[in-house]
Structures are given as C-alpha cells and as structure tokens.
Amino acid sequence: METNPKNESQRLEALRSLNILDTLPEQEYDQITKLVASICDTPIALISLLDEDRQWFKSKIGVDYCETNKKYAFCNLAIQADDELMEVSDTRKDERFHENPLVNGKDQIIFYAGVPLRDKYGYALGTLCVLDHQPRTLSPQQREGILSLANQVIKLFELHAINRGLKKTQKQLKEKNAQLRNFAGVVSHDMKMPLANMIVTIDVLKAKYKGKLDEAGLDYLNNLKKSSFQLSDYISNILTHYESDSITNNEDALEKFDFHTLVEDIVEMLDIGDDCDITFPEDSDKIYTNRIALEQILLNLIGNSLKYNDKDKIEIHIDFRKEPHFYRFFVKDNGIGIPKDKQKEIFNLFSTAADNDRKGNKGNGIGLSTVKKMIHNLGGKISVNSVEGQETTFEFTIERTKKVN
C-alpha cells in the first residue's frame, strides 16, 4: 500500500518547516479530536502528520501509541486523494487494505474517514481522521462537522507558523538590541576619555596662550569647549539609556528611604540658584522602591523643568502620594510648555519638543525616552499635561514592591 504523492519532497519540506513534529500535546488540538470523535460517534480520532516513513499523531483519542509505520497508514492514501474527504465504510471489502495489519490484526480498523490538512500552498501535511472497529457511514451532518473541524486544525497550523516566526523575529531583535547596546556602551566609554582630554586641553590653551589670542580665537576655544560638553552630555545620556534595564532590574537597589531626603539630594546635585523655587510634598513619607532608578527619573524631569523655562522666576512643584498598588509622582513647572501635537512623541528616542533650552542649547531627545523606559520597567506609566507657554506637569507611577524580610 506504500505510495508517494506527487511533489513528495516539497510536501515534506513544507511539513518540516512547520516545526511541529514531535511537539508536546496541546489543548487546542486535543479539544478538536475530542469534538470530532463525539460528532462522528467513533472511538478513535486523530490529527496525524505524514513524515518520510512514519505517521505521527499531534493529537489522539482512542489509541495509546504516538506513531505508526507510514507504509500501513490510511492517511497516506487520504493525502493523495483529490477528494476533500476520504471515507472507507468497510476496509475488509477494499482491496487496498487486504494485507494491512491494522485491518487484519488485533486493532481491527474497519471504518476510516479522513480529511487532508492542506497548507496555503496546497501541500497535504496530514489528516484529521476518525476510525471505528465496525462498518459505518458518516451522515451529512457528520461530514460537515469533520470538514469544519479540519479547517480549524489548518488555522491552528497557520497560527503555529506565525507564532514561531514572531518568536524567531523577537529573538533576532533581542540579539540585535544587545549588540547595539554593547556597541553603544563600548563606543561611549571609549569616547568619554578623549573628550575629557579635549576639555582639559582647551583650558590649558586658554591659560597658556591667553595673551596671544584675540577675542575671536578665545571664542573659538569657548565654542569648542561648549560643544565638547554637549557631546559628553549626549554620550552620558546614551549610556544611561542603554544601561537603564540593568538599573531597574537590580534588586539590590531596592531600599526603604525618605522621599523628602531624596528630593533634597537631587536639588543639591542640580545646584539650583536663587531664580528657582521648588516646593516639596506636604507630608514626608517613607517609600520602598528602586532608589537609584527613581533618582535618575526625577533628576531628568526636574532638570528639564529648569532647562526648558523662560520665566524670570522658575517654579517647580513636586508632589507624591501612596496608592494601594502604586506610588504616584508629579513634577509641575511654569516653563515654556509642550505643543499639543508633540506631547505624545516626546517620549520617543531622539525626539525633542523645543528648539533650544534656557541657555540656548539644543536637547538630544534621549532623556524622556530613558525615563519612560525605566518607569515601564518599574511597572508604571508616565503621562504629560501641558499648556504651551504656561506650564507642564509630568505624572508617573511606580509599582509598589513588597519588602521581603
């Protein structure tokens, strides 16, 4: 009974590319075999796949083995037939099965009905079939049922292929992202030292040759120093962006601390002048979270409130409250505001809302992207509400972490 369908090599390639042979049982397939056995009132139902020399069952009802020799598989004939359903009412009366041990042996498979499972290219990968130990004929309703369920198996195969493709793409993206992160880290670290040397050299040149340089020459050196600082800041932001995952995933950074003290430390680091008033939350409270990550987030947001402000008196209001599952933070300022059409894109990497900051420097569009990434890693969300020319409020949450003693 062993025959090979046309284009067998292509069919086998299509089957193996699905990468489903010898996979573990899955509920979605088992539900179909149970249902088709019930509809057709048969003791055996199978989802079979025809490999080069074996028939393997992705799902089975009524048998205790997982595969058979392809030579004796009824499904091998079904996948070669042009009919949408191959039905054999009594295999004992069909000469194709006279020497088949599945008919003449202890199994006594007398009835068979199988629907070829064809992929989008028309290759029959296997069948959805029902078997019985006695002669029978499917009713019109049973035929319709098995055909409909076979179509669902095909859709499951298609979903399996899509999911496999997505997982492969996801793996490739992770690998590319890791490569990019490593590249950015190496390049950034390697650039910081030459930049520091350039800045020091500029100061040496200014000090040593100040009397020999005219005003234009000094301006050139000052501009060069300013550009070096900007590039150094850009590199630092790139490093922070790509290192944010390791910062937020560091469980050793979890600690209990006073929020007021954290904000005071940040204000001291930013060296805020007399032209700025910062108000703190009314109540000082202890919180338990990733202190390093929260410090980075607030440094960036408060720093932006200082930089992107055109008022004579900068006003920054910081607020905080505890919720059952989250800590909620607010950073509000009276700065230049953010145009409505840019309020969504400002969290994208390299996206900026303003042309220049308070000192005339152009932002690099890395900070808010890093902030959003860190907040997401901490189980929270960030949003912005702004009136152009008047004020901006950033609101973000961080998931509350239970302290493990």
Side-chain angles (χ1 to χ4, degrees):
M1 194 182 83
E2 184 178 19
T3 57
N4 283 320
K6 297 176 181 178
N7 304 320
E8 176 67 358
S9 59
Q10 292 94 326
R11 187 195 73 80
L12 288 171
E13 183 179 350
L15 171 63
R16 289 164 186 167
S17 68
L18 189 61
N19 202 35
I20 199 171
L21 287 169
D22 300 309
T23 56
L24 294 172
E26 296 178 59
Q27 185 180 15
E28 292 81 2
Y29 294 97
D30 292 342
Q31 287 173 340
I32 290 177
T33 50
K34 288 178 182 178
L35 185 56
V36 75
S38 176
I39 290 173
C40 296
D41 193 24
T42 57
I44 302 172
L46 308 167
I47 295 175
S48 70
L49 296 170
L50 279 298
D51 201 357
E52 186 173 7
D53 52 16
R54 62 170 177 150
Q55 174 183 232
W56 177 78
F57 304 136
K58 174 59 183 173
S59 180
K60 55 191 176 67
I61 296 291
V63 297
D64 56 5
Y65 43 87
C66 296
E67 61 181 62
T68 65
N69 193 315
K70 183 179 177 182
K71 180 179 180 180
Y72 301 112
F74 299 171
C75 297
N76 193 33
L77 290 175
I79 66 172
Q80 299 174 62
D82 294 328
D83 298 333
E84 60 179 3
L85 170 66
M86 172 182 159
E87 183 176 3
V88 182
S89 297
D90 191 336
T91 56
R92 296 168 301 183
K93 298 178 180 179
D94 191 316
E95 63 181 11
R96 293 175 296 178
F97 304 101
H98 282 173
E99 297 181 1
N100 193 312
L102 296 175
V103 176
N104 302 318
K106 63 176 183 178
D107 291 313
Q108 284 278 297
I109 302 300
I110 307 303
F111 168 78
Y112 172 85
V115 180
L117 302 171
R118 301 186 186 279
D119 67 8
K120 60 183 178 180
Y121 302 107
Y123 295 119
L125 309 180
T127 70
L128 173 64
C129 63
V130 290
L131 304 94
D132 204 341
H133 304 295
Q134 59 186 3
R136 61 181 304 133
T137 301
L138 294 179
S139 69
Q141 292 80 6
Q142 289 172 330
R143 291 176 64 91
E144 182 180 356
I146 191 172
L147 288 168
S148 296
L149 290 171
N151 189 48
Q152 294 306 309
V153 177
I154 293 168
K155 290 187 181 299
L156 285 176
F157 285 168
E158 292 173 352
L159 285 173
H160 176 87
I162 292 170
N163 288 336
R164 181 169 172 264
L166 288 173
K167 287 179 180 179
K168 183 178 180 181
T169 302
Q170 186 182 44
K171 182 180 178 182
Q172 291 173 342
L173 286 173
K174 284 183 177 179
E175 290 173 351
K176 292 293 183 182
N177 189 52
Q179 292 173 4
L180 179 61
R181 184 168 58 249
N182 292 335
F183 174 77
V186 170
V187 171
S188 299
H189 280 298
D190 289 350
M191 289 177 68
K192 285 184 77 70
M193 184 56 70
L195 269 174
N197 291 336
M198 284 176 59
I199 293 169
V200 171
T201 302
I202 291 168
D203 288 336
V204 170
L205 288 172
K206 287 172 64 177
K208 189 171 183 179
Y209 298 101
K210 186 175 182 180
K212 298 181 180 180
L213 291 171
D214 58 13
E215 187 174 345
L218 287 172
D219 285 341
Y220 284 136
L221 286 178
N222 288 331
N223 288 333
L224 182 60
K225 185 176 180 179
K226 179 181 177 182
S227 297
S228 299
F229 273 120
Q230 287 177 334
L231 183 56
S232 179
D233 182 58
Y234 183 84
I235 291 169
S236 297
N237 285 330
I238 283 283
L239 280 171
T240 301
H241 182 81
Y242 283 106
E243 291 173 353
S244 59
D245 287 338
S246 60
I247 293 173
T248 51
N249 293 331
N250 182 8
E251 293 186 0
D252 293 334
L254 291 171
E255 59 178 289
K256 189 174 183 179
F257 56 92
D258 183 84
F259 182 63
H260 264 205
T261 303
L262 173 66
V263 178
E264 288 170 356
D265 291 343
I266 291 171
V267 170
E268 187 175 341
M269 279 188 279
L270 291 171
D271 192 24
I272 294 174
D274 295 334
D275 61 345
C276 177
D277 283 338
I278 295 185
T279 58
F280 291 9
E282 292 183 5
D283 299 322
S284 180
D285 207 344
K286 299 282 186 180
I287 62 176
Y288 181 74
T289 190
N290 187 319
R291 191 184 195 282
I292 297 173
L294 181 57
E295 182 180 89
Q296 288 290 326
I297 292 166
L298 290 171
L299 265 171
N300 190 287
L301 294 178
I302 297 172
N304 282 348
S305 293
L306 292 168
K307 289 190 294 184
Y308 298 102
N309 199 304
D310 57 353
K311 308 301 188 296
D312 292 334
K313 193 70 170 181
I314 300 173
E315 296 176 1
I316 302 173
H317 177 65
I318 301 167
D319 205 356
F320 155 78
R321 65 172 178 257
K322 283 183 178 180
E323 297 178 357
H325 303 291
F326 294 92
Y327 297 123
R328 189 173 297 273
F329 304 88
F330 302 84
V331 178
K332 181 179 180 180
D333 64 59
N334 65 335
I336 61 176
I338 302 168
K340 193 74 175 177
D341 60 341
K342 292 187 177 181
Q343 289 180 17
K344 288 186 177 179
E345 65 183 55
I346 58 169
F347 296 107
N348 296 334
L349 190 61
F350 304 123
S351 176
T352 57
D355 293 331
N356 296 293
D357 64 16
R358 189 179 181 88
K359 296 181 179 179
N361 299 319
K362 184 172 177 59
N364 49 48
I366 301 172
L368 285 178
S369 172
T370 305
V371 163
K372 182 180 179 180
K373 186 179 180 184
M374 295 178 81
I375 290 171
H376 174 78
N377 289 348
L378 294 172
K381 295 180 180 180
I382 185 169
S383 62
V384 62
N385 184 21
S386 183
V387 179
E388 194 171 1
Q390 296 183 33
E391 63 179 38
T392 297
T393 301
F394 284 96
E395 177 183 342
F396 68 94
T397 57
I398 289 177
E399 188 175 13
R400 292 184 67 169
T401 304
K402 291 183 179 180
K403 186 174 181 179
V404 179
N405 296 320

